[in-house]
């Protein structure tokens, strides 16, 4: 099987039906003979990245049964929800595959490389590639622009959160970890404005010609990956006329097209 990771779980033996603790081998996230318990968050590398899908089911393989000694084929489904190992079960139909369930490999790209990330998202079927320029043109009709960025201090309806306590240079994988902490807040922002999980949004970045069109929930779940770039990045919803904007100085903004005002920013 080569390199793999393991997780310990109580499983039903396919031979004697006893429930026994067993180690399950699986290949997902950073594969380096890592051992986990249920409830642990998976470890990722700079080129192997979390799927933005909420629920991922992995194929695993359990070892010998401690009760009857069975060491034949023992398929196990390992469930990962937002990067956390939540459960494991013998492959006997006990796992529920719903619309939010995906079974696939993690995304492989260089963290911080926007073009490589866009390619990976398109190849995985998560997003569709679009030309970015029409969406930049759209932003210019929604918001005041100055010095190649949105003038949030002139936008009446906006919120912001400091991702970094002060502007500084930061490695892409560290920025990704900092952004991850704010995903629940961003989800609250867009849902308060009435945006449904399946509405289409578009990601664009200042240094890339290609944008990504995807459902809102995929974009919010993938926010750390989409915005951990050395450029200003945007997620906009054409139907609702709002925009999420991470600026390189370390602030994440959410604003709605509407009245423009002059003065200091309002949180």
């Amino acid at each position: 099987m080569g390199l793999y990771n393991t997780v310990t779980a109580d499983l039903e033996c396919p031979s004697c039906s006893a429930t026994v603790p067993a180690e399950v081998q699986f290949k997902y996230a950073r594969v380096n003979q890592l051992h986990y318990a249920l409830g642990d968050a998976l470890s990722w590398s700079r080129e192997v990245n979390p799927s933005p899908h909420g629920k991922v089911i992995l194929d695993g393989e359990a070892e010998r049964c401690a009760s009857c000694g069975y060491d034949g084929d023992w398929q196990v489904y390992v469930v990962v929800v937002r990067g956390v190992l939540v459960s494991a079960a013998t492959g006997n139909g006990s796992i529920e595959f719903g619309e939010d369930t995906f079974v696939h490999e993690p995304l492989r790209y260089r963290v911080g490389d926007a073009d490589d990330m866009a390619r990976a998202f398109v190849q995985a079927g998560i997003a569709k590639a679009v030309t970015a320029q029409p969406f930049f043109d759209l932003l210019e009709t929604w918001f005041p622009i100055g010095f190649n960025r949105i003038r949030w201090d002139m936008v009446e309806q906006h919120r912001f959160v400091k991702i970094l306590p002060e502007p500084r240079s930061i490695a892409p994988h560290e920025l990704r970890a900092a952004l991850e902490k704010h995903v629940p807040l961003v989800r609250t922002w867009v849902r308060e404005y009435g945006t449904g999980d399946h509405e289409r949004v578009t990601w664009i970045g200042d240094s890339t010609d290609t944008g990504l069109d995807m459902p809102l929930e995929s974009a919010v779940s993938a926010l750390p990956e989409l915005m951990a770039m050395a450029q200003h990045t945007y997620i906009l919803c054409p139907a609702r006329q709002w925009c999420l904007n991470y600026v390189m100085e370390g602030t994440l903004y959410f604003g709605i097209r509407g009245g423009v005002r002059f003065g200091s920013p309002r949180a």
Side-chain angles (χ1 to χ4, degrees):
M1 191 174 181
L3 288 177
Y4 54 85
N5 297 328
T6 60
V7 59
T8 300
D10 291 333
L11 301 171
E12 180 182 326
C13 172
S15 177
C16 70
S17 298
T19 298
V20 295
E23 282 200 348
V24 181
Q25 300 176 3
F26 67 94
K27 291 186 176 183
Y28 191 67
R30 183 165 71 94
V31 179
N32 193 31
Q33 303 300 117
L34 303 177
H35 181 71
Y36 296 99
L38 293 179
D40 288 346
L42 291 167
S43 173
W44 302 89
S45 73
R46 297 189 183 187
E47 295 190 5
V48 181
N49 306 283
S51 165
H53 297 307
K55 183 180 180 182
V56 178
I57 295 183
L58 316 174
D59 276 323
E61 181 179 341
E63 299 177 352
R64 184 175 181 273
C65 174
S67 177
C68 70
Y70 175 75
D71 61 358
D73 292 338
W74 190 346
Q75 182 189 35
V76 177
Y77 289 135
V78 180
V79 179
V80 177
V81 177
R82 304 197 188 284
V84 175
L85 290 158
V86 298
S87 65
T90 297
N92 57 9
S94 58
I95 292 289
E96 180 178 338
F97 289 76
E99 290 184 359
D100 64 339
T101 303
F102 294 82
V103 185
H104 57 68
E105 289 298 308
L107 304 179
R108 297 182 181 275
Y109 62 88
R110 293 180 297 278
V111 176
D113 186 322
D115 292 326
D116 201 26
M117 181 207 67
R119 173 199 55 75
F121 272 55
V122 172
Q123 288 184 351
I126 296 165
K128 298 178 181 179
V130 296
T131 302
Q133 188 57 50
F135 295 96
F136 281 114
D137 295 341
L138 187 61
L139 285 179
E140 291 186 4
T141 70
W142 290 359
F143 302 109
I145 306 294
F147 303 104
N148 296 317
R149 64 176 66 198
I150 296 173
R151 285 289 307 274
W152 289 109
D153 59 319
M154 297 173 60
V155 177
E156 178 70 24
Q157 301 183 73
H158 83 276
R159 302 175 179 181
F160 64 86
V161 61
K162 291 282 189 181
I163 303 300
L164 305 178
E166 58 185 24
R168 63 184 178 90
S169 177
I170 185 173
H173 67 283
E174 293 177 319
L175 176 56
R176 182 177 68 182
L179 286 161
E180 180 70 40
K181 299 175 183 177
H182 295 86
V183 168
L185 174 63
V186 170
R187 186 172 284 112
T188 297
W189 284 353
V190 297
R191 286 179 175 171
E192 282 181 352
Y193 194 61
T195 316
D197 288 349
H198 299 291
E199 292 190 52
R200 308 298 296 190
V201 298
T202 303
W203 168 90
I204 53 177
D206 276 353
S207 302
T208 55
D209 296 327
T210 300
L212 295 172
D213 172 90
M214 68 189 82
L216 171 68
E217 179 53 29
S218 293
V220 173
S221 295
L223 182 80
E225 286 70 45
L226 293 170
M227 294 190 164
M229 306 287 167
Q231 59 178 323
H232 302 313
T233 51
Y234 313 79
I235 298 172
L236 59 152
C237 180
R240 302 283 181 171
Q241 299 186 341
W242 57 250
C243 176
L244 280 163
N245 171 210
Y246 179 74
V247 299
M248 292 173 59
E249 290 77 11
T251 302
L252 179 65
Y253 293 92
F254 174 70
I256 302 165
R257 180 184 183 183
V260 173
R261 69 185 179 91
F262 294 87
S264 59
R266 182 183 68 182

